[in-house]
Amino acid sequence: MAIIYARKQLRKKELLSILNPTVAEWFSRFAEPTPPQSVAIPLIQDGKNVLIASPTGSGKTLAAFLSIISKLVDLSEQEALEDKVYCIYVSPLRALSNDIRKNLLSPLEEIDSIAEKNGKKKPSVRVGMRTGDTTQSERSRMLARPPHILITTPESLAIILTAPRFREKIRDAKWVILDEIHEICSSKRGVHLSLSLERLENFCSSKPARIGLSATIHPLEEVARFLVGFEGGDERECYIVDARFVKPTELTVSSPASDMLGTPSELLSDMMYKRIANEIRKHKTVLVFTNTRSGAERVAYKLSRLKVVDLDRLAAHHSSLSRELRLEVEDRLKRGEMRVVVTSTSLELGIDIGSIDLVVQIGSPKSISRCLQRVGRSGHALNRVSKGLLIALERDDLIEDCVIANQALKGKLDRVYIPRNCLDVLAQHVVGMALEKKWRVEDAFELVRRSYCFSNLKLESFISVLRYLSGMYGVLENYRVYGKIWYDEREQTFGRRGALLRVIYSTNVGTIPDEVAVKVYDERNRLVGMIEEEFLERLAKGDVFTLGGRVYRFRYSRGFRAYVSSAEHEKPTVPSWFSEMLPLSFDLGEAIGRFRQEIFYLLRKGRKKEALKMLLEEYRMEKKAAIAVLGYMDAERRFLESIKIFDAPDNKNIIVENYFDELGRQNIIFNCVFGRRTHDALSRGYADAISSMTGKQVLVTVLDSCFSVTLPEGTEVNPEDITVLVDYSNLRDRLLRSVKRTEMVRRRFRHCSTRALMVLRNYKGHEIGVTRQQLNSQILMGVCEKFEDFPVLKETYREVMEDLMDVSSAESVLKDIQLGVRRFVYTKRLDIPSPFTHELLVSGYTDIVLMEDRRELLNSLYKTVMKRLRNEGR
């Protein structure tokens, strides 16, 4: 068996006996080793591939480095420590790289002192850092005297592999450490890194051991395969050290009021801030997470007005702030000088921020793993409890929070998503490989398929990338897209082409796209505001959204200009915060479906007290929060029973609501919880079916908890006819047809074409602006659409459907429907939708009305439902 769970633990005395005596003396100052240390250190000592999964503060970084330092000190004592890199540490964050460097230098200096005290020569193990910030003079010094431990980033590692002189310094590397693997494996940066690891292994004189460090993630076997890859089609050996749940965790789910709609918004907000202020007074250091950058700023401002702590001991921390400000907050937090820091996602990762007593999460964290990652920042030592307070101001968030708490404390986690067969990343690496040497196609293809992310890549896809890169689509030269490699189809070999290729590669390497703000112009060509590019890509022609308190209909875009027309009396269809919000995971959505079914059953049987007791004890809810959830659930149950539906909308029974709004438009609402990525794929499939049937364009509105398809006024379809038209076998074709018409594909084509070195971000030392990149890519996209299966365009469609959306989960839902595992339950024609879908109807109003007015809209809908139920004796 290639993937092995390691469980043998060594006691401190046994660990000390296998380490270099000087290193053992340094390590002896600590108490008993932590679980990840007691299991992982001997395995790393034996040169095994190891994945260590454990929470923050459990000593996994020391577990990774201790054996390596011990081996390097052994070499030093044997006068065999050479001027070359033995260990490569790769981190997704430069800030984390700086942190690791500092944390390594201190013990290495102490080990030098111990050696000197014992009359031995100082080992003088060197640590160096090579990132995009490293100056040319520092690189020259590093070339003359390389570090024994090299700290770098995924992008810099790719450049090192093609650097003619410095790559020789890593040829004898014995270990590669991948930190924060849970963060990087779910993106194209992870795909990029997986290929760099295979190229490194192919280049090195011996196979370096791979060590992965991860926080809470699932399933570990898949992450282990990502870490170690394949050899000859078989997965390489990897030992998993599973210490994810060794640390006690305490979660509490809270709501400021038991009536979340009836309580005025301002009062609800005040009650929340008073609760947070009380927690701040009771704890030394509090970390507050919000789900958006704007939310972090707003919460920090509100807390500062309460004057609960001195203003210089409270700060916001998010990615829009300058690097200097972020570093200052991190350093002061580490030194114990901060009482409160409010953040969005920027402090989730393992930067050492010292001791945190409590984590407060405002709104749902949207996934179980993310919740544990955030709450795990508190109680920095293994013997301290990680304390998390989850506060919700919306009813759906409250349900998500309680299910997250229940699942987390049961040890159940969401599945990680790892992108596969990304042809743009492959193209970039093929260029890097061509810079190394002349390749036989067979050998290069075999190397690529050793990466987990490309283990099932088809040869024809690989060949299509070679053809594109070698300039076989000759017409592209008319648009200044030239061949980067030569490719001999008869001999099946390829290699580098062009004197500038190395410069082009090194200045355009990486997977993170440039983003800019988009200017919005009305029908009179007046500038009315700015939107994020990520928001623009969600817009389809006819979509209605708010900007600056006014409502606009999207018409089209040119480069980084969006053109709109006034739509003052229409309801917005796209929430303005859509681009910032984290999507609900599919697994959490399924758990919420099971929760709905459980609560509905108890309410239907009249066992409300039992349901309340269960929420308080098993779902970690405070009483006000539990009452709010039961009220929400009971309203939905009574509404459905009033229209003769006795099934819970629990994902097994997908309630399809046939709602006609006050404008007479038909809204087909799918009342289910699969998460926004899955709903995005399903909704566009149904939209394509309706458009094909009626010849009319329809609008889709998507939330994590439901989605809808809205038909133009005067157009009506039978929902049962539509659901029959979309199934497991045709969803991808329908979705592809639907997304081809979207702004999303045009934007994503730019991202993919820059990764594939088709559109350059930098040429001969000159930065090419994002506006120019977008214009170039739009022209090229029109050309590439004429080619069959052009790899960059093919990758764009794959990225949209699989990475941005979740077509695989959507297909599995439809397959279950065909098999009878799930089913649609159709309502009659409705003039009021069910309570669970009210949030969908007002979701677009965030910017056009005040929060209390938006809440009043929800309250008005809710009161209408309750009045009708009372009139019917329910």
Side-chain angles (χ1 to χ4, degrees):
M1 186 177 173
I3 306 295
I4 304 153
Y5 279 86
R7 294 188 170 86
K8 184 180 178 183
Q9 297 189 36
L10 295 191
R11 305 288 294 176
K12 183 178 179 181
K13 188 176 178 182
E14 295 172 296
L15 277 183
L16 294 176
S17 70
I18 64 172
L19 295 171
N20 173 278
T22 305
V23 176
E25 186 176 339
W26 175 84
F27 189 56
S28 64
R29 70 182 67 184
F30 297 100
E32 279 295 322
T34 64
Q37 291 168 353
S38 64
V39 179
I41 289 172
L43 293 168
I44 297 169
Q45 190 83 352
D46 288 343
K48 304 294 187 186
N49 294 326
V50 181
L51 172 64
I52 308 171
S54 67
T56 303
S58 59
K60 58 179 174 283
T61 308
L62 181 57
F65 276 112
L66 196 65
S67 284
I68 294 168
I69 292 170
S70 176
K71 294 283 189 184
L72 295 178
V73 174
D74 281 343
L75 288 172
S76 175
E77 289 177 358
Q78 296 157 16
E79 302 287 336
L81 188 62
E82 298 177 46
D83 283 341
K84 61 186 180 184
V85 174
Y86 290 87
C87 172
I88 301 171
Y89 167 92
V90 185
S91 155
L93 284 181
R94 290 180 191 175
L96 183 54
S97 298
N98 280 315
D99 211 44
I100 289 295
R101 182 176 174 274
K102 288 180 198 170
N103 292 343
L104 274 176
L105 289 175
S106 179
L108 288 172
E109 286 168 6
E110 290 167 6
I111 287 167
D112 281 354
S113 298
I114 292 169
E116 211 169 23
K117 179 195 75 176
N118 293 337
K120 296 181 180 178
K121 176 191 167 189
K122 286 201 295 187
S124 299
V125 173
R126 295 192 298 274
V127 179
M129 209 160 79
R130 182 159 171 157
T131 69
D133 294 332
T134 308
T135 64
Q136 194 55 52
S137 60
E138 287 174 313
R139 290 179 190 181
S140 298
R141 284 196 297 273
M142 205 177 283
L143 188 61
R145 198 162 179 258
H148 303 117
I149 299 173
L150 175 67
I151 297 170
T152 191
T153 61
E155 293 76 17
S156 292
L157 177 60
I159 293 170
I160 288 167
L161 286 167
T162 60
R165 294 168 66 197
F166 192 75
R167 73 195 297 253
E168 290 302 320
K169 304 297 180 183
I170 64 169
R171 186 182 284 277
D172 295 326
K174 298 287 183 276
W175 303 274
V176 182
I177 300 173
L178 302 194
D179 206 349
E180 303 290 345
I181 200 170
H182 58 283
E183 173 66 20
I184 200 166
C185 71
S186 58
S187 71
K188 284 193 173 181
R189 283 187 89 197
V191 178
H192 193 274
L193 180 56
S194 76
L195 278 179
S196 289
L197 290 177
E198 295 308 330
R199 288 172 57 197
L200 176 68
E201 178 148 323
N202 187 68
F203 169 71
C204 283
S205 54
S206 60
K207 295 178 180 180
R210 302 187 193 186
I211 303 158
L213 307 181
S214 175
T216 305
I217 196 168
H218 169 80
L220 290 180
E221 294 89 341
E222 188 172 1
V223 181
R225 291 181 191 105
F226 168 83
L227 171 66
V228 299
F230 291 76
E231 191 82 57
D234 297 321
E235 54 193 46
R236 294 189 180 109
E237 184 180 81
C238 184
Y239 287 81
I240 295 175
V241 179
D242 183 5
R244 290 172 297 177
F245 302 101
V246 297
K247 198 175 174 191
T249 302
E250 183 183 295
L251 296 173
T252 305
V253 179
S254 176
S255 163
S258 54
D259 182 359
M260 299 181 80
L261 286 183
T263 306
S265 179
E266 194 173 330
L267 178 58
L268 200 69
S269 179
D270 286 346
M271 291 163 75
M272 179 190 77
Y273 284 116
K274 282 177 185 173
R275 172 66 188 276
I276 296 172
N278 286 335
E279 295 298 336
I280 291 167
R281 291 185 188 101
K282 288 191 284 185
H283 296 86
K284 186 182 172 187
T285 312
V286 176
L287 188 59
V288 182
F289 279 99
T290 66
N291 286 345
T292 63
R293 296 183 294 275
S294 56
E297 288 288 352
R298 187 169 60 249
V299 171
Y301 171 74
K302 290 280 191 181
L303 290 175
S304 71
R305 295 294 298 271
L306 289 176
K307 297 181 179 175
V308 66
V309 294
D310 293 339
L311 286 183
D312 66 338
R313 306 192 76 184
L314 182 154
H317 185 289
H318 54 76
S319 57
S320 295
L321 294 172
S322 71
R323 184 168 175 267
E324 289 72 24
L325 277 175
R326 294 200 310 272
L327 286 174
E328 184 186 347
V329 172
E330 290 162 20
D331 288 341
R332 294 191 63 216
L333 196 53
K334 199 183 302 185
R335 294 195 300 266
E337 295 171 11
M338 300 298 295
R339 287 287 311 281
V340 188
V341 174
V342 189
T343 184
S344 51
T345 58
S346 54
L347 287 178
E348 272 184 20
L349 297 187
I351 303 164
D352 184 5
I353 53 173
S355 182
I356 306 292
D357 298 310
L358 173 72
V359 167
V360 176
Q361 166 70 48
I362 299 174
S364 165
K366 298 293 178 180
S367 93
I368 307 158
S369 300
R370 186 178 295 111
C371 174
L372 288 174
Q373 171 76 355
R374 290 179 171 185
V375 172
R377 302 301 272 156
S378 67
H380 199 65
L382 263 189
N383 58 356
R384 291 184 57 198
V385 177
S386 289
K387 287 175 66 177
L389 174 64
L390 313 181
I391 302 177
L393 295 175
E394 305 284 351
R395 296 171 302 174
D396 287 327
D397 277 0
L398 197 52
I399 289 173
E400 288 171 23
D401 280 348
C402 79
V403 174
I404 284 170
N406 175 266
Q407 295 289 295
L409 296 173
K410 284 180 178 176
K412 294 183 178 177
L413 302 168
D414 335 76
R415 287 185 66 88
V416 67
Y417 169 72
I418 300 174
R420 309 289 296 271
N421 299 327
C422 307
L423 299 183
D424 52 351
V425 176
L426 176 61
Q428 191 177 125
H429 271 280
V430 167
V431 172
M433 291 166 71
L435 283 167
E436 294 175 30
K437 64 175 187 178
K438 173 183 170 181
W439 286 84
R440 290 173 62 234
V441 170
E442 183 184 353
D443 294 338
F445 181 59
E446 185 187 335
L447 182 150
V448 166
R449 285 191 27 128
R450 289 176 195 157
S451 156
Y452 171 78
C453 299
F454 292 94
S455 56
N456 59 0
L457 180 74
K458 289 183 167 55
L459 180 60
E460 53 263 36
S461 295
F462 187 70
I463 296 293
S464 75
V465 170
L466 292 177
R467 285 175 175 155
Y468 145 63
L469 288 172
S470 62
M472 288 191 179
Y473 297 90
V475 68
L476 291 176
E477 290 198 359
N478 298 333
Y479 302 91
R480 297 187 178 180
V481 178
Y482 302 107
K484 310 290 188 298
I485 66 171
W486 58 262
Y487 167 45
D488 187 324
E489 288 228 39
R490 190 173 62 82
E491 296 290 334
Q492 284 295 291
T493 54
F494 69 90
R496 64 174 292 176
R497 174 176 167 184
L500 289 173
L501 186 60
R502 190 180 303 282
V503 176
I504 288 171
Y505 177 77
S506 61
T507 54
N508 289 276
V509 81
T511 60
I512 303 171
D514 297 323
E515 298 282 355
V516 295
V518 176
K519 293 178 179 178
V520 181
Y521 292 86
D522 67 10
E523 57 267 60
R524 286 186 283 175
N525 215 30
R526 294 181 307 174
L527 178 66
V528 294
M530 312 272 277
I531 57 176
E532 291 181 346
E533 185 183 5
E534 196 176 344
F535 181 69
L536 173 64
E537 76 176 18
R538 289 281 172 183
L539 297 176
K541 185 179 179 182
D543 271 339
V544 179
F545 68 99
T546 60
L547 180 64
R550 294 184 178 276
V551 186
Y552 297 100
R553 179 180 286 103
F554 176 67
R555 292 158 58 208
Y556 63 92
S557 74
R558 291 279 185 274
F560 285 90
R561 288 185 169 209
Y563 294 90
V564 299
S565 57
S566 178
E568 283 303 318
H569 301 295
E570 295 204 35
K571 285 185 177 179
T573 58
V574 183
S576 62
W577 38 259
F578 198 97
S579 62
E580 267 200 90
M581 287 297 288
L582 301 163
L584 186 84
S585 71
F586 181 78
D587 292 334
L588 178 55
E590 289 284 70
I592 290 169
R594 293 190 294 272
F595 171 76
R596 284 181 172 189
Q597 201 280 329
E598 190 174 20
I599 297 294
F600 264 66
Y601 173 79
L602 292 174
L603 291 175
R604 198 175 294 121
K605 295 292 183 183
R607 291 154 62 179
K608 197 168 185 176
K609 284 185 179 176
E610 187 180 330
L612 180 64
K613 184 171 184 285
M614 183 177 75
L615 292 178
L616 296 174
E617 294 175 3
E618 294 180 33
Y619 287 86
R620 301 300 196 271
M621 304 194 86
E622 293 177 345
K623 192 166 185 179
K624 282 189 285 191
I627 290 169
V629 164
L630 286 181
Y632 187 31
M633 291 282 195
D634 206 35
E636 178 76 9
R637 176 188 66 83
R638 286 185 284 163
F639 176 87
L640 291 176
E641 288 182 3
S642 75
I643 57 172
K644 303 293 185 284
I645 289 177
F646 299 93
D647 298 293
D650 59 4
N651 288 359
K652 297 295 182 191
N653 300 297
I654 300 169
I655 312 291
V656 182
E657 300 184 23
N658 191 19
Y659 163 60
F660 286 76
D661 61 26
E662 65 274 18
L663 297 175
R665 296 180 306 179
Q666 184 181 19
N667 298 267
I668 303 172
I669 305 175
F670 293 77
N671 192 345
C672 50
V673 196
F674 297 118
R676 203 164 71 227
R677 290 178 62 229
T678 303
H679 289 172
D680 217 348
L682 288 169
S683 64
R684 290 170 192 272
Y686 292 122
D688 178 74
I690 294 171
S691 293
S692 300
M693 177 188 283
T694 64
K696 301 284 180 68
Q697 189 170 348
V698 298
L699 298 174
V700 299
T701 309
V702 176
L703 289 185
D704 285 315
S705 54
C706 52
F707 65 91
S708 69
V709 183
T710 303
L711 282 71
E713 191 177 346
T715 305
E716 185 177 340
V717 297
N718 183 348
E720 294 188 44
D721 293 341
I722 299 307
T723 53
V724 167
L725 288 174
V726 182
D727 60 31
Y728 169 77
S729 65
N730 67 22
L731 176 65
R732 276 182 194 258
D733 290 340
R734 287 195 178 279
L735 183 55
L736 180 60
R737 193 159 51 238
S738 177
V739 300
K740 277 183 175 181
R741 300 188 290 266
T742 64
E743 191 64 38
M744 190 182 299
V745 160
R746 294 166 68 195
R747 301 281 148 186
R748 293 286 162 159
F749 181 77
R750 185 190 92 238
H751 297 175
C752 293
S753 60
T754 53
R755 288 188 200 104
L757 307 181
M758 187 179 189
V759 171
L760 301 180
R761 293 178 294 176
N762 189 300
Y763 185 65
K764 294 184 179 179
H766 298 290
E767 293 284 338
I768 298 169
V770 188
T771 304
R772 172 54 56 190
Q773 291 174 33
Q774 183 65 32
L775 290 171
N776 290 346
S777 70
Q778 284 181 207
I779 294 166
L780 287 169
M781 186 174 172
V783 176
C784 295
E785 283 174 332
K786 296 167 186 170
F787 304 136
E788 187 177 346
D789 282 341
F790 185 71
V792 183
L793 193 56
K794 186 178 176 181
E795 170 56 26
T796 303
Y797 297 143
R798 190 212 62 79
E799 180 180 311
V800 168
M801 295 198 298
E802 295 183 12
D803 300 351
L804 204 60
M805 300 177 192
D806 185 358
V807 67
S808 298
S809 293
E811 284 177 324
S812 75
V813 168
L814 294 176
K815 192 170 190 179
D816 284 347
I817 289 167
Q818 285 174 259
L819 295 171
V821 177
R822 306 181 200 259
R823 69 188 183 109
F824 291 118
V825 179
Y826 303 92
T827 72
K828 62 182 184 181
R829 183 185 178 111
L830 302 174
D831 61 348
I832 306 174
S834 80
F836 277 6
T837 65
H838 290 178
E839 192 70 43
L840 184 83
L841 300 181
V842 302
S843 61
Y845 279 104
T846 309
D847 285 351
I848 196 168
V849 295
L850 296 172
M851 184 59 95
E852 52 263 36
D853 294 333
R854 179 173 166 272
R855 190 173 295 278
E856 185 53 41
L857 282 172
L858 281 171
N859 204 11
S860 174
L861 278 168
Y862 185 70
K863 283 177 178 175
T864 305
V865 168
M866 299 312 287
K867 183 179 178 182
R868 184 169 296 183
L869 292 176
R870 278 194 298 274
N871 291 342
E872 293 175 3
R874 291 182 181 275

Short mmCIF file of all heavy atoms in Angstrom, two decimals, residues 771-790:
data_model
loop_
_atom_site.label_atom_id
_atom_site.label_comp_id
_atom_site.label_asym_id
_atom_site.label_seq_id
_atom_site.Cartn_x
_atom_site.Cartn_y
_atom_site.Cartn_z
N THR A 771 -5.26 46.45 -19.23
CA THR A 771 -6.21 46.86 -20.27
C THR A 771 -5.75 46.37 -21.64
O THR A 771 -6.53 45.82 -22.42
CB THR A 771 -6.35 48.40 -20.29
OG1 THR A 771 -6.75 48.83 -19.00
CG2 THR A 771 -7.38 48.84 -21.32
N ARG A 772 -4.46 46.53 -21.93
CA ARG A 772 -3.90 46.05 -23.19
C ARG A 772 -3.97 44.52 -23.26
O ARG A 772 -4.31 43.96 -24.30
CB ARG A 772 -2.45 46.55 -23.32
CG ARG A 772 -1.65 45.97 -24.49
CD ARG A 772 -2.33 46.12 -25.84
NE ARG A 772 -2.66 47.51 -26.15
CZ ARG A 772 -3.42 47.87 -27.18
NH1 ARG A 772 -3.96 46.94 -27.96
NH2 ARG A 772 -3.68 49.15 -27.40
N GLN A 773 -3.66 43.86 -22.13
CA GLN A 773 -3.76 42.39 -22.10
C GLN A 773 -5.18 41.95 -22.45
O GLN A 773 -5.38 41.00 -23.23
CB GLN A 773 -3.41 41.86 -20.70
CG GLN A 773 -1.96 42.01 -20.27
CD GLN A 773 -1.79 41.58 -18.83
OE1 GLN A 773 -2.46 40.68 -18.34
NE2 GLN A 773 -0.87 42.22 -18.12
N GLN A 774 -6.20 42.62 -21.85
CA GLN A 774 -7.58 42.23 -22.09
C GLN A 774 -7.98 42.45 -23.54
O GLN A 774 -8.62 41.60 -24.15
CB GLN A 774 -8.52 43.01 -21.15
CG GLN A 774 -9.98 42.60 -21.26
CD GLN A 774 -10.23 41.17 -20.82
OE1 GLN A 774 -9.55 40.65 -19.95
NE2 GLN A 774 -11.18 40.50 -21.46
N LEU A 775 -7.58 43.58 -24.10
CA LEU A 775 -7.91 43.85 -25.50
C LEU A 775 -7.26 42.83 -26.42
O LEU A 775 -7.88 42.31 -27.35
CB LEU A 775 -7.48 45.27 -25.88
CG LEU A 775 -8.29 46.41 -25.24
CD1 LEU A 775 -7.64 47.76 -25.51
CD2 LEU A 775 -9.73 46.41 -25.76
N ASN A 776 -5.98 42.53 -26.15
CA ASN A 776 -5.28 41.52 -26.95
C ASN A 776 -5.98 40.17 -26.86
O ASN A 776 -6.15 39.48 -27.86
CB ASN A 776 -3.83 41.38 -26.48
CG ASN A 776 -2.98 42.60 -26.81
OD1 ASN A 776 -3.38 43.44 -27.60
ND2 ASN A 776 -1.81 42.70 -26.21
N SER A 777 -6.36 39.81 -25.63
CA SER A 777 -6.95 38.48 -25.44
C SER A 777 -8.33 38.39 -26.10
O SER A 777 -8.71 37.34 -26.62
CB SER A 777 -7.05 38.13 -23.95
OG SER A 777 -8.00 38.92 -23.29
N GLN A 778 -9.09 39.50 -26.10
CA GLN A 778 -10.40 39.48 -26.74
C GLN A 778 -10.28 39.29 -28.25
O GLN A 778 -11.07 38.56 -28.87
CB GLN A 778 -11.17 40.77 -26.41
CG GLN A 778 -11.73 40.78 -25.00
CD GLN A 778 -12.50 42.04 -24.66
OE1 GLN A 778 -12.58 42.42 -23.50
NE2 GLN A 778 -13.07 42.71 -25.64
N ILE A 779 -9.28 39.93 -28.84
CA ILE A 779 -9.04 39.75 -30.27
C ILE A 779 -8.63 38.30 -30.54
O ILE A 779 -9.15 37.64 -31.46
CB ILE A 779 -7.94 40.72 -30.76
CG1 ILE A 779 -8.44 42.17 -30.66
CG2 ILE A 779 -7.51 40.39 -32.19
CD1 ILE A 779 -7.35 43.21 -30.78
N LEU A 780 -7.71 37.80 -29.72
CA LEU A 780 -7.21 36.43 -29.91
C LEU A 780 -8.30 35.39 -29.69
O LEU A 780 -8.33 34.36 -30.36
CB LEU A 780 -6.04 36.16 -28.95
CG LEU A 780 -4.73 36.86 -29.31
CD1 LEU A 780 -3.73 36.73 -28.17
CD2 LEU A 780 -4.14 36.26 -30.60
N MET A 781 -9.20 35.65 -28.75
CA MET A 781 -10.26 34.70 -28.49
C MET A 781 -11.13 34.50 -29.72
O MET A 781 -11.51 33.38 -30.06
CB MET A 781 -11.11 35.16 -27.30
CG MET A 781 -12.14 34.14 -26.86
SD MET A 781 -12.99 34.62 -25.36
CE MET A 781 -14.25 33.35 -25.31
N GLY A 782 -11.43 35.61 -30.41
CA GLY A 782 -12.22 35.52 -31.64
C GLY A 782 -11.52 34.68 -32.69
O GLY A 782 -12.16 33.92 -33.43
N VAL A 783 -10.19 34.77 -32.75
CA VAL A 783 -9.41 33.97 -33.72
C VAL A 783 -9.42 32.50 -33.30
O VAL A 783 -9.64 31.60 -34.12
CB VAL A 783 -7.96 34.49 -33.80
CG1 VAL A 783 -7.12 33.61 -34.71
CG2 VAL A 783 -7.93 35.94 -34.27
N CYS A 784 -9.19 32.25 -31.99
CA CYS A 784 -9.04 30.87 -31.50
C CYS A 784 -10.34 30.09 -31.56
O CYS A 784 -10.32 28.85 -31.62
CB CYS A 784 -8.51 30.89 -30.06
SG CYS A 784 -6.85 31.57 -29.93
N GLU A 785 -11.47 30.78 -31.53
CA GLU A 785 -12.77 30.09 -31.60
C GLU A 785 -12.95 29.36 -32.92
O GLU A 785 -13.78 28.45 -33.03
CB GLU A 785 -13.91 31.09 -31.38
CG GLU A 785 -14.08 31.47 -29.91
CD GLU A 785 -15.11 32.58 -29.70
OE1 GLU A 785 -15.29 33.41 -30.62
OE2 GLU A 785 -15.70 32.62 -28.62
N LYS A 786 -12.15 29.75 -33.92
CA LYS A 786 -12.27 29.10 -35.23
C LYS A 786 -11.49 27.79 -35.29
O LYS A 786 -11.66 27.00 -36.22
CB LYS A 786 -11.76 30.06 -36.32
CG LYS A 786 -12.60 31.33 -36.44
CD LYS A 786 -11.91 32.38 -37.29
CE LYS A 786 -12.69 33.70 -37.27
NZ LYS A 786 -11.93 34.80 -37.89
N PHE A 787 -10.59 27.58 -34.29
CA PHE A 787 -9.81 26.34 -34.27
C PHE A 787 -10.55 25.28 -33.46
O PHE A 787 -11.19 25.59 -32.45
CB PHE A 787 -8.43 26.56 -33.62
CG PHE A 787 -7.62 27.66 -34.25
CD1 PHE A 787 -6.94 28.58 -33.46
CD2 PHE A 787 -7.51 27.77 -35.63
CE1 PHE A 787 -6.18 29.59 -34.02
CE2 PHE A 787 -6.75 28.77 -36.20
CZ PHE A 787 -6.08 29.69 -35.40
N GLU A 788 -10.42 24.03 -33.87
CA GLU A 788 -11.05 22.95 -33.12
C GLU A 788 -10.18 22.58 -31.92
O GLU A 788 -8.98 22.31 -32.05
CB GLU A 788 -11.24 21.72 -34.02
CG GLU A 788 -12.04 20.62 -33.34
CD GLU A 788 -12.28 19.44 -34.26
OE1 GLU A 788 -12.05 19.57 -35.49
OE2 GLU A 788 -12.66 18.37 -33.75
N ASP A 789 -10.77 22.58 -30.72
CA ASP A 789 -10.08 22.17 -29.48
C ASP A 789 -8.77 22.92 -29.25
O ASP A 789 -7.76 22.32 -28.87
CB ASP A 789 -9.82 20.66 -29.49
CG ASP A 789 -11.06 19.86 -29.14
OD1 ASP A 789 -11.99 20.47 -28.56
OD2 ASP A 789 -11.10 18.67 -29.44
N PHE A 790 -8.76 24.23 -29.50
CA PHE A 790 -7.56 25.00 -29.22
C PHE A 790 -7.28 24.94 -27.72
O PHE A 790 -8.17 25.25 -26.92
CB PHE A 790 -7.73 26.44 -29.68
CG PHE A 790 -6.47 27.25 -29.54
CD1 PHE A 790 -5.39 27.03 -30.38
CD2 PHE A 790 -6.36 28.23 -28.56
CE1 PHE A 790 -4.22 27.78 -30.26
CE2 PHE A 790 -5.20 28.98 -28.43
CZ PHE A 790 -4.12 28.76 -29.28
#
